[in-house]
Amino acid sequence: MSPIPVKRTFELLHKWAGTVGHVPIIDLMAAGGDSPWKILVSTMLSARTKDSTTAKASMKLFSVADTPEKTAKLSVAKLEKLIYPVGFYKTKAQNLHELAKIVLEKYIGKVPGTVEELTTLPGVGIKTASLVYIKAFDGYDICVDTHVHRISNMWELVRTDTPEKTRIELKKVIPQKYWKEINQYIVTLGQTVCRPVKHECDKCPLSRICPASQI
Ligand code: SF4
């Protein structure tokens, strides 16, 4: 079977995304004009955590500290309490504390705006850096999480064994104009009709063109 046709896929996903009523938390924040700092922090909190839990923890944290200045003044123990029960909350609280200090001291309070600089920050891997670059700085990149890695391999767009390799290979086959939106569309697909354990192809907008369709 051939890889999924890219242009048609994005046309169908674009129409479908408007009807599904599910928008990932970071996309909602970006659309609402939240600051790069808040987008960075919520993206860090969202790792291995459900969107609904990330949203509640972010609200609780931002009601007390929504800037690097305010965050740096909080103890790690206080940060742990504010972000609980996100996954790995103890490690994330420690990283947040260090992150706030570094942003204040090295970047005079402003979140750096390149993927390279972002990945030097504590707790910020390539996936987080890429998403923050796209959502907070309107940059062009492809953010590859587990859904994007899994589904783009299923679509036969790439044949890769790590998200890092998927990011590099996807950039060769996806036109740049789609880079910013691919994460939102595929994450929404991966959290709804194309979950890892259950593919509801009968409800999927791509059932007629997907190489893995069970219809
Ligand atoms: S057609 Fe099925 S396998 Fe393909 S993306 Fe949709 S739900 Fe997933």
Side-chain angles (χ1 to χ4, degrees):
M1 187 117 190
S2 313
I4 202 163
V6 172
K7 184 166 177 281
R8 186 71 187 131
T9 297
F10 277 88
E11 285 168 359
L12 290 167
L13 287 177
H14 185 69
K15 273 192 209 156
W16 174 76
T19 65
V20 75
H22 177 95
V23 182
I25 171 75
I26 305 304
D27 294 284
L28 279 176
M29 291 179 70
D34 275 317
S35 67
W37 173 255
K38 288 171 77 173
I39 290 177
L40 170 60
V41 170
S42 292
T43 305
M44 286 175 68
L45 297 184
S46 73
R48 308 261 185 131
T49 301
K50 281 186 182 168
D51 258 19
S52 54
T53 307
T54 302
K56 279 185 203 153
S58 296
M59 274 177 61
K60 201 158 60 148
L61 172 63
F62 295 148
S63 69
V64 176
D66 60 356
T67 62
E69 290 83 357
K70 291 177 191 168
T71 309
K73 286 181 188 153
L74 299 177
S75 66
V76 174
K78 177 72 178 170
L79 286 167
E80 283 179 10
K81 277 191 188 149
L82 287 168
I83 66 173
Y84 181 84
V86 300
F88 303 98
Y89 68 97
K90 284 179 182 279
T91 306
K92 287 177 183 173
Q94 182 70 48
N95 284 336
L96 263 181
H97 191 68
E98 287 170 30
L99 175 70
K101 284 189 177 170
I102 292 171
V103 168
L104 277 178
E105 288 163 13
K106 189 170 175 189
Y107 297 102
I108 53 167
K110 297 212 181 304
V111 174
T114 67
V115 172
E116 290 69 27
E117 287 171 306
L118 284 162
T119 50
T120 66
L121 299 171
V124 180
I126 184 69
K127 182 180 70 124
T128 297
S130 177
L131 194 60
V132 171
Y133 178 60
I134 297 166
K135 298 298 171 188
F137 297 101
D138 205 22
Y140 280 95
D141 201 3
I142 297 181
C143 173
V144 177
D145 67 352
T146 56
H147 295 296
V148 177
H149 175 59
R150 171 177 63 89
I151 292 177
S152 55
N153 270 279
M154 229 173 56
W155 288 347
E156 300 182 12
L157 289 172
V158 295
R159 285 181 193 275
T160 50
D161 54 8
T162 65
E164 290 74 21
K165 289 181 194 165
T166 299
R167 177 170 172 262
I168 293 166
E169 294 305 313
L170 271 182
K171 286 183 174 179
K172 297 177 186 169
V173 294
I174 304 278
Q176 195 187 49
K177 65 178 177 178
Y178 300 128
W179 289 9
K180 290 180 185 180
E181 55 198 2
I182 186 170
N183 180 274
Q184 178 178 347
Y185 287 158
I186 298 188
V187 170
T188 304
L189 204 67
Q191 289 178 345
T192 55
V193 297
C194 194
R195 292 189 175 95
V197 289
K198 190 178 178 199
H199 300 169
E200 296 178 85
C201 302
D202 55 325
K203 296 182 187 158
C204 180
L206 308 175
S207 59
R208 287 169 177 269
I209 59 170
C210 173
S213 174
Q214 291 154 8
I215 290 181

